[in-house]
Amino acid sequence: MDLIVIAGAPGVGKSTLGLALARSLGSPFLEFSVLRQPHLDPTWSNASPVEHEMAWESLQFVVRNYVKYRYRDVVVTDLRDERVRQVPEVFGDFEYQIVTLTLADDVELRRRVGARREGFVDVDAAVAWNAAVRARPALSR
């Protein structure tokens, strides 16, 4: 596999699973939020669509560069659902897998996101995002 995308709302366990998977496979682990930090508002408001686009293009370059140098199973997390849905178009020439995590328990999701001191801390938005991901059709290749 060239690329593994772990998708889902904030607080569902993407980073935890992604890091464990990358360690197990000996693969690179990329959190999109890390690429966004130098460019975007640290409150995660995404005030500038241009800066978000620039970070997305940077992620594409980094992933392609890892694959070019024969790294495999590059694990990526922290993509908005709209970006996850773009993976087939952007990385269609790769062997990839999209794993989508959701949390069935809104109370637990509220607890997880509400306990954060940094990053995505909007509890209501995380619950709405999680519900939207659960409601959409599964992504297929």
Side-chain angles (χ1 to χ4, degrees):
M1 195 68 46
D2 295 320
L3 174 64
I4 301 168
V5 175
I6 302 177
V12 298
K14 298 180 308 295
S15 296
T16 302
L17 176 63
L19 190 55
L21 183 61
R23 283 182 180 152
S24 174
L25 296 170
S27 299
F29 175 66
L30 302 170
E31 283 190 289
F32 186 56
S33 60
V34 173
L35 288 175
R36 294 174 57 224
Q37 287 172 354
H39 310 290
L40 301 177
D41 182 344
T43 64
W44 295 55
S45 66
N46 289 324
S48 170
V50 170
E51 290 174 338
H52 187 80
E53 187 64 29
M54 184 172 61
W56 172 237
E57 289 174 9
S58 295
L59 176 70
Q60 291 173 53
F61 173 80
V62 170
V63 169
R64 288 189 178 284
N65 218 29
Y66 271 119
V67 172
K68 174 182 174 183
Y69 287 98
R70 303 195 191 288
Y71 285 86
R72 292 294 176 254
D73 303 317
V74 177
V75 179
V76 174
T77 66
D78 274 353
L79 297 176
R80 290 177 173 182
D81 201 49
E82 67 199 44
R83 295 298 187 191
V84 172
R85 288 179 275 144
Q86 290 177 331
V87 166
E89 174 187 331
V90 173
F91 294 109
D93 55 328
F94 282 24
E95 289 295 322
Y96 66 87
Q97 182 71 43
I98 300 172
V99 178
T100 303
L101 304 179
T102 61
L103 201 58
D105 184 349
D106 285 348
V107 173
E108 175 61 14
L109 185 59
R110 287 180 178 282
R111 185 195 66 74
R112 289 181 188 185
V113 176
R116 293 178 171 184
R117 299 274 186 256
E118 58 187 40
F120 196 100
V121 296
D122 186 336
V123 174
D124 293 332
V127 170
W129 184 340
N130 187 56
V133 170
R134 282 194 327 247
R136 73 157 163 73
L139 301 173
S140 61
R141 192 150 165 90

PDB file of all heavy atoms in Angstrom, residues 23-50:
ATOM      1  N   ARG A  23       3.685   2.984  13.571  1.00  0.00           N
ATOM      2  CA  ARG A  23       4.750   2.340  14.346  1.00  0.00           C
ATOM      3  C   ARG A  23       4.828   0.856  14.024  1.00  0.00           C
ATOM      4  O   ARG A  23       5.906   0.302  13.847  1.00  0.00           O
ATOM      5  CB  ARG A  23       4.506   2.533  15.839  1.00  0.00           C
ATOM      6  CG  ARG A  23       4.868   3.904  16.320  1.00  0.00           C
ATOM      7  CD  ARG A  23       4.663   4.033  17.803  1.00  0.00           C
ATOM      8  NE  ARG A  23       5.013   5.368  18.258  1.00  0.00           N
ATOM      9  CZ  ARG A  23       4.502   5.967  19.307  1.00  0.00           C
ATOM     10  NH1 ARG A  23       3.603   5.347  20.050  1.00  0.00           N
ATOM     11  NH2 ARG A  23       4.877   7.179  19.632  1.00  0.00           N
ATOM     12  N   SER A  24       3.674   0.216  13.952  1.00  0.00           N
ATOM     13  CA  SER A  24       3.630  -1.220  13.668  1.00  0.00           C
ATOM     14  C   SER A  24       4.202  -1.541  12.289  1.00  0.00           C
ATOM     15  O   SER A  24       4.895  -2.539  12.109  1.00  0.00           O
ATOM     16  CB  SER A  24       2.185  -1.716  13.771  1.00  0.00           C
ATOM     17  OG  SER A  24       2.077  -3.053  13.372  1.00  0.00           O
ATOM     18  N   LEU A  25       3.899  -0.684  11.311  1.00  0.00           N
ATOM     19  CA  LEU A  25       4.355  -0.909   9.936  1.00  0.00           C
ATOM     20  C   LEU A  25       5.747  -0.333   9.655  1.00  0.00           C
ATOM     21  O   LEU A  25       6.319  -0.597   8.608  1.00  0.00           O
ATOM     22  CB  LEU A  25       3.355  -0.284   8.956  1.00  0.00           C
ATOM     23  CG  LEU A  25       1.947  -0.880   8.946  1.00  0.00           C
ATOM     24  CD1 LEU A  25       1.012  -0.013   8.123  1.00  0.00           C
ATOM     25  CD2 LEU A  25       1.977  -2.315   8.429  1.00  0.00           C
ATOM     26  N   GLY A  26       6.236   0.492  10.578  1.00  0.00           N
ATOM     27  CA  GLY A  26       7.498   1.185  10.327  1.00  0.00           C
ATOM     28  C   GLY A  26       7.362   2.214   9.228  1.00  0.00           C
ATOM     29  O   GLY A  26       8.263   2.399   8.415  1.00  0.00           O
ATOM     30  N   SER A  27       6.217   2.898   9.203  1.00  0.00           N
ATOM     31  CA  SER A  27       5.870   3.824   8.120  1.00  0.00           C
ATOM     32  C   SER A  27       5.831   5.265   8.597  1.00  0.00           C
ATOM     33  O   SER A  27       5.646   5.537   9.779  1.00  0.00           O
ATOM     34  CB  SER A  27       4.492   3.460   7.571  1.00  0.00           C
ATOM     35  OG  SER A  27       4.510   2.157   7.065  1.00  0.00           O
ATOM     36  N   PRO A  28       5.941   6.212   7.659  1.00  0.00           N
ATOM     37  CA  PRO A  28       5.770   7.618   8.017  1.00  0.00           C
ATOM     38  C   PRO A  28       4.337   7.897   8.489  1.00  0.00           C
ATOM     39  O   PRO A  28       3.386   7.281   8.000  1.00  0.00           O
ATOM     40  CB  PRO A  28       6.037   8.367   6.706  1.00  0.00           C
ATOM     41  CG  PRO A  28       6.774   7.406   5.845  1.00  0.00           C
ATOM     42  CD  PRO A  28       6.304   6.049   6.248  1.00  0.00           C
ATOM     43  N   PHE A  29       4.200   8.819   9.412  1.00  0.00           N
ATOM     44  CA  PHE A  29       2.908   9.222   9.958  1.00  0.00           C
ATOM     45  C   PHE A  29       2.781  10.729   9.787  1.00  0.00           C
ATOM     46  O   PHE A  29       3.611  11.482  10.291  1.00  0.00           O
ATOM     47  CB  PHE A  29       2.815   8.843  11.436  1.00  0.00           C
ATOM     48  CG  PHE A  29       1.572   9.320  12.117  1.00  0.00           C
ATOM     49  CD1 PHE A  29       0.332   8.823  11.749  1.00  0.00           C
ATOM     50  CD2 PHE A  29       1.632  10.258  13.137  1.00  0.00           C
ATOM     51  CE1 PHE A  29      -0.827   9.246  12.378  1.00  0.00           C
ATOM     52  CE2 PHE A  29       0.485  10.687  13.773  1.00  0.00           C
ATOM     53  CZ  PHE A  29      -0.748  10.186  13.398  1.00  0.00           C
ATOM     54  N   LEU A  30       1.762  11.165   9.053  1.00  0.00           N
ATOM     55  CA  LEU A  30       1.561  12.589   8.787  1.00  0.00           C
ATOM     56  C   LEU A  30       0.197  13.029   9.306  1.00  0.00           C
ATOM     57  O   LEU A  30      -0.830  12.505   8.872  1.00  0.00           O
ATOM     58  CB  LEU A  30       1.626  12.858   7.280  1.00  0.00           C
ATOM     59  CG  LEU A  30       2.915  12.455   6.569  1.00  0.00           C
ATOM     60  CD1 LEU A  30       2.735  12.552   5.066  1.00  0.00           C
ATOM     61  CD2 LEU A  30       4.053  13.334   7.037  1.00  0.00           C
ATOM     62  N   GLU A  31       0.207  13.986  10.206  1.00  0.00           N
ATOM     63  CA  GLU A  31      -1.046  14.602  10.632  1.00  0.00           C
ATOM     64  C   GLU A  31      -1.181  15.916   9.880  1.00  0.00           C
ATOM     65  O   GLU A  31      -0.299  16.768   9.964  1.00  0.00           O
ATOM     66  CB  GLU A  31      -1.043  14.863  12.139  1.00  0.00           C
ATOM     67  CG  GLU A  31      -1.286  13.628  12.951  1.00  0.00           C
ATOM     68  CD  GLU A  31      -1.512  13.940  14.406  1.00  0.00           C
ATOM     69  OE1 GLU A  31      -0.535  14.320  15.086  1.00  0.00           O
ATOM     70  OE2 GLU A  31      -2.655  13.786  14.857  1.00  0.00           O
ATOM     71  N   PHE A  32      -2.274  16.050   9.160  1.00  0.00           N
ATOM     72  CA  PHE A  32      -2.486  17.254   8.356  1.00  0.00           C
ATOM     73  C   PHE A  32      -2.412  18.511   9.217  1.00  0.00           C
ATOM     74  O   PHE A  32      -1.923  19.542   8.778  1.00  0.00           O
ATOM     75  CB  PHE A  32      -3.825  17.173   7.625  1.00  0.00           C
ATOM     76  CG  PHE A  32      -4.059  18.304   6.663  1.00  0.00           C
ATOM     77  CD1 PHE A  32      -3.161  18.567   5.649  1.00  0.00           C
ATOM     78  CD2 PHE A  32      -5.185  19.094   6.772  1.00  0.00           C
ATOM     79  CE1 PHE A  32      -3.377  19.608   4.745  1.00  0.00           C
ATOM     80  CE2 PHE A  32      -5.418  20.134   5.888  1.00  0.00           C
ATOM     81  CZ  PHE A  32      -4.510  20.394   4.870  1.00  0.00           C
ATOM     82  N   SER A  33      -2.855  18.420  10.467  1.00  0.00           N
ATOM     83  CA  SER A  33      -2.830  19.586  11.347  1.00  0.00           C
ATOM     84  C   SER A  33      -1.415  20.126  11.525  1.00  0.00           C
ATOM     85  O   SER A  33      -1.223  21.328  11.678  1.00  0.00           O
ATOM     86  CB  SER A  33      -3.432  19.243  12.710  1.00  0.00           C
ATOM     87  OG  SER A  33      -2.702  18.195  13.319  1.00  0.00           O
ATOM     88  N   VAL A  34      -0.408  19.264  11.470  1.00  0.00           N
ATOM     89  CA  VAL A  34       0.972  19.715  11.611  1.00  0.00           C
ATOM     90  C   VAL A  34       1.386  20.558  10.407  1.00  0.00           C
ATOM     91  O   VAL A  34       2.066  21.572  10.553  1.00  0.00           O
ATOM     92  CB  VAL A  34       1.923  18.514  11.811  1.00  0.00           C
ATOM     93  CG1 VAL A  34       3.374  18.943  11.800  1.00  0.00           C
ATOM     94  CG2 VAL A  34       1.583  17.799  13.113  1.00  0.00           C
ATOM     95  N   LEU A  35       0.946  20.170   9.216  1.00  0.00           N
ATOM     96  CA  LEU A  35       1.248  20.971   8.028  1.00  0.00           C
ATOM     97  C   LEU A  35       0.490  22.294   8.045  1.00  0.00           C
ATOM     98  O   LEU A  35       0.956  23.281   7.488  1.00  0.00           O
ATOM     99  CB  LEU A  35       0.896  20.208   6.756  1.00  0.00           C
ATOM    100  CG  LEU A  35       1.812  19.050   6.405  1.00  0.00           C
ATOM    101  CD1 LEU A  35       1.276  18.310   5.191  1.00  0.00           C
ATOM    102  CD2 LEU A  35       3.225  19.545   6.128  1.00  0.00           C
ATOM    103  N   ARG A  36      -0.665  22.298   8.683  1.00  0.00           N
ATOM    104  CA  ARG A  36      -1.476  23.519   8.721  1.00  0.00           C
ATOM    105  C   ARG A  36      -0.927  24.530   9.716  1.00  0.00           C
ATOM    106  O   ARG A  36      -1.078  25.729   9.525  1.00  0.00           O
ATOM    107  CB  ARG A  36      -2.905  23.171   9.136  1.00  0.00           C
ATOM    108  CG  ARG A  36      -3.626  22.328   8.126  1.00  0.00           C
ATOM    109  CD  ARG A  36      -4.985  21.891   8.633  1.00  0.00           C
ATOM    110  NE  ARG A  36      -5.767  23.028   8.990  1.00  0.00           N
ATOM    111  CZ  ARG A  36      -6.503  23.106  10.099  1.00  0.00           C
ATOM    112  NH1 ARG A  36      -6.572  22.109  10.921  1.00  0.00           N
ATOM    113  NH2 ARG A  36      -7.197  24.177  10.353  1.00  0.00           N
ATOM    114  N   GLN A  37      -0.289  24.090  10.773  1.00  0.00           N
ATOM    115  CA  GLN A  37       0.112  24.993  11.851  1.00  0.00           C
ATOM    116  C   GLN A  37       0.985  26.160  11.417  1.00  0.00           C
ATOM    117  O   GLN A  37       0.765  27.273  11.879  1.00  0.00           O
ATOM    118  CB  GLN A  37       0.781  24.201  12.975  1.00  0.00           C
ATOM    119  CG  GLN A  37      -0.211  23.396  13.768  1.00  0.00           C
ATOM    120  CD  GLN A  37       0.442  22.463  14.766  1.00  0.00           C
ATOM    121  OE1 GLN A  37       1.646  22.326  14.799  1.00  0.00           O
ATOM    122  NE2 GLN A  37      -0.381  21.829  15.578  1.00  0.00           N
ATOM    123  N   PRO A  38       1.971  25.961  10.547  1.00  0.00           N
ATOM    124  CA  PRO A  38       2.780  27.125  10.171  1.00  0.00           C
ATOM    125  C   PRO A  38       2.003  28.170   9.375  1.00  0.00           C
ATOM    126  O   PRO A  38       2.421  29.303   9.280  1.00  0.00           O
ATOM    127  CB  PRO A  38       3.887  26.545   9.289  1.00  0.00           C
ATOM    128  CG  PRO A  38       3.866  25.083   9.517  1.00  0.00           C
ATOM    129  CD  PRO A  38       2.484  24.737   9.959  1.00  0.00           C
ATOM    130  N   HIS A  39       0.872  27.771   8.801  1.00  0.00           N
ATOM    131  CA  HIS A  39       0.160  28.653   7.889  1.00  0.00           C
ATOM    132  C   HIS A  39      -1.135  29.198   8.446  1.00  0.00           C
ATOM    133  O   HIS A  39      -1.541  30.301   8.110  1.00  0.00           O
ATOM    134  CB  HIS A  39      -0.190  27.895   6.588  1.00  0.00           C
ATOM    135  CG  HIS A  39       0.964  27.181   6.002  1.00  0.00           C
ATOM    136  ND1 HIS A  39       2.018  27.827   5.424  1.00  0.00           N
ATOM    137  CD2 HIS A  39       1.250  25.871   5.938  1.00  0.00           C
ATOM    138  CE1 HIS A  39       2.908  26.939   5.009  1.00  0.00           C
ATOM    139  NE2 HIS A  39       2.463  25.754   5.301  1.00  0.00           N
ATOM    140  N   LEU A  40      -1.814  28.410   9.230  1.00  0.00           N
ATOM    141  CA  LEU A  40      -3.187  28.733   9.577  1.00  0.00           C
ATOM    142  C   LEU A  40      -3.352  29.213  11.002  1.00  0.00           C
ATOM    143  O   LEU A  40      -2.501  29.008  11.861  1.00  0.00           O
ATOM    144  CB  LEU A  40      -4.085  27.510   9.352  1.00  0.00           C
ATOM    145  CG  LEU A  40      -4.092  26.972   7.918  1.00  0.00           C
ATOM    146  CD1 LEU A  40      -4.949  25.727   7.840  1.00  0.00           C
ATOM    147  CD2 LEU A  40      -4.612  28.016   6.958  1.00  0.00           C
ATOM    148  N   ASP A  41      -4.456  29.801  11.235  1.00  0.00           N
ATOM    149  CA  ASP A  41      -4.847  30.285  12.543  1.00  0.00           C
ATOM    150  C   ASP A  41      -4.781  29.141  13.553  1.00  0.00           C
ATOM    151  O   ASP A  41      -5.409  28.105  13.363  1.00  0.00           O
ATOM    152  CB  ASP A  41      -6.286  30.814  12.413  1.00  0.00           C
ATOM    153  CG  ASP A  41      -6.832  31.394  13.685  1.00  0.00           C
ATOM    154  OD1 ASP A  41      -6.267  31.149  14.766  1.00  0.00           O
ATOM    155  OD2 ASP A  41      -7.849  32.097  13.594  1.00  0.00           O
ATOM    156  N   PRO A  42      -4.017  29.287  14.639  1.00  0.00           N
ATOM    157  CA  PRO A  42      -3.875  28.195  15.597  1.00  0.00           C
ATOM    158  C   PRO A  42      -5.177  27.812  16.312  1.00  0.00           C
ATOM    159  O   PRO A  42      -5.248  26.774  16.948  1.00  0.00           O
ATOM    160  CB  PRO A  42      -2.832  28.702  16.589  1.00  0.00           C
ATOM    161  CG  PRO A  42      -2.830  30.168  16.436  1.00  0.00           C
ATOM    162  CD  PRO A  42      -3.241  30.453  15.021  1.00  0.00           C
ATOM    163  N   THR A  43      -6.207  28.629  16.177  1.00  0.00           N
ATOM    164  CA  THR A  43      -7.497  28.274  16.781  1.00  0.00           C
ATOM    165  C   THR A  43      -8.291  27.337  15.879  1.00  0.00           C
ATOM    166  O   THR A  43      -9.408  26.964  16.190  1.00  0.00           O
ATOM    167  CB  THR A  43      -8.346  29.524  17.064  1.00  0.00           C
ATOM    168  OG1 THR A  43      -8.661  30.162  15.824  1.00  0.00           O
ATOM    169  CG2 THR A  43      -7.637  30.486  18.002  1.00  0.00           C
ATOM    170  N   TRP A  44      -7.704  26.954  14.737  1.00  0.00           N
ATOM    171  CA  TRP A  44      -8.320  26.039  13.784  1.00  0.00           C
ATOM    172  C   TRP A  44      -9.570  26.622  13.140  1.00  0.00           C
ATOM    173  O   TRP A  44     -10.471  25.926  12.758  1.00  0.00           O
ATOM    174  CB  TRP A  44      -8.665  24.694  14.418  1.00  0.00           C
ATOM    175  CG  TRP A  44      -7.508  23.896  14.881  1.00  0.00           C
ATOM    176  CD1 TRP A  44      -6.533  24.299  15.732  1.00  0.00           C
ATOM    177  CD2 TRP A  44      -7.191  22.578  14.534  1.00  0.00           C
ATOM    178  NE1 TRP A  44      -5.638  23.308  15.937  1.00  0.00           N
ATOM    179  CE2 TRP A  44      -6.028  22.220  15.216  1.00  0.00           C
ATOM    180  CE3 TRP A  44      -7.799  21.640  13.721  1.00  0.00           C
ATOM    181  CZ2 TRP A  44      -5.454  20.986  15.103  1.00  0.00           C
ATOM    182  CZ3 TRP A  44      -7.223  20.394  13.616  1.00  0.00           C
ATOM    183  CH2 TRP A  44      -6.062  20.081  14.299  1.00  0.00           C
ATOM    184  N   SER A  45      -9.639  27.915  12.996  1.00  0.00           N
ATOM    185  CA  SER A  45     -10.828  28.524  12.406  1.00  0.00           C
ATOM    186  C   SER A  45     -10.795  28.468  10.876  1.00  0.00           C
ATOM    187  O   SER A  45     -11.800  28.723  10.236  1.00  0.00           O
ATOM    188  CB  SER A  45     -10.966  29.983  12.856  1.00  0.00           C
ATOM    189  OG  SER A  45      -9.910  30.765  12.345  1.00  0.00           O
ATOM    190  N   ASN A  46      -9.642  28.168  10.311  1.00  0.00           N
ATOM    191  CA  ASN A  46      -9.508  28.129   8.852  1.00  0.00           C
ATOM    192  C   ASN A  46     -10.038  29.401   8.197  1.00  0.00           C
ATOM    193  O   ASN A  46     -10.797  29.362   7.243  1.00  0.00           O
ATOM    194  CB  ASN A  46     -10.210  26.903   8.254  1.00  0.00           C
ATOM    195  CG  ASN A  46      -9.470  25.636   8.588  1.00  0.00           C
ATOM    196  OD1 ASN A  46      -8.255  25.636   8.627  1.00  0.00           O
ATOM    197  ND2 ASN A  46     -10.192  24.583   8.853  1.00  0.00           N
ATOM    198  N   ALA A  47      -9.624  30.527   8.732  1.00  0.00           N
ATOM    199  CA  ALA A  47     -10.092  31.810   8.238  1.00  0.00           C
ATOM    200  C   ALA A  47      -9.715  32.050   6.781  1.00  0.00           C
ATOM    201  O   ALA A  47     -10.403  32.767   6.087  1.00  0.00           O
ATOM    202  CB  ALA A  47      -9.554  32.943   9.113  1.00  0.00           C
ATOM    203  N   SER A  48      -8.628  31.432   6.331  1.00  0.00           N
ATOM    204  CA  SER A  48      -8.175  31.676   4.971  1.00  0.00           C
ATOM    205  C   SER A  48      -8.241  30.400   4.131  1.00  0.00           C
ATOM    206  O   SER A  48      -7.447  29.480   4.330  1.00  0.00           O
ATOM    207  CB  SER A  48      -6.731  32.191   4.973  1.00  0.00           C
ATOM    208  OG  SER A  48      -6.225  32.208   3.665  1.00  0.00           O
ATOM    209  N   PRO A  49      -9.148  30.350   3.169  1.00  0.00           N
ATOM    210  CA  PRO A  49      -9.198  29.193   2.267  1.00  0.00           C
ATOM    211  C   PRO A  49      -7.902  29.018   1.466  1.00  0.00           C
ATOM    212  O   PRO A  49      -7.519  27.908   1.145  1.00  0.00           O
ATOM    213  CB  PRO A  49     -10.372  29.502   1.340  1.00  0.00           C
ATOM    214  CG  PRO A  49     -11.210  30.479   2.087  1.00  0.00           C
ATOM    215  CD  PRO A  49     -10.249  31.277   2.933  1.00  0.00           C
ATOM    216  N   VAL A  50      -7.219  30.111   1.173  1.00  0.00           N
ATOM    217  CA  VAL A  50      -5.968  30.041   0.425  1.00  0.00           C
ATOM    218  C   VAL A  50      -4.915  29.296   1.238  1.00  0.00           C
ATOM    219  O   VAL A  50      -4.202  28.424   0.719  1.00  0.00           O
ATOM    220  CB  VAL A  50      -5.464  31.457   0.050  1.00  0.00           C
ATOM    221  CG1 VAL A  50      -4.057  31.421  -0.508  1.00  0.00           C
ATOM    222  CG2 VAL A  50      -6.419  32.109  -0.929  1.00  0.00           C
TER     223      VAL A  50
END
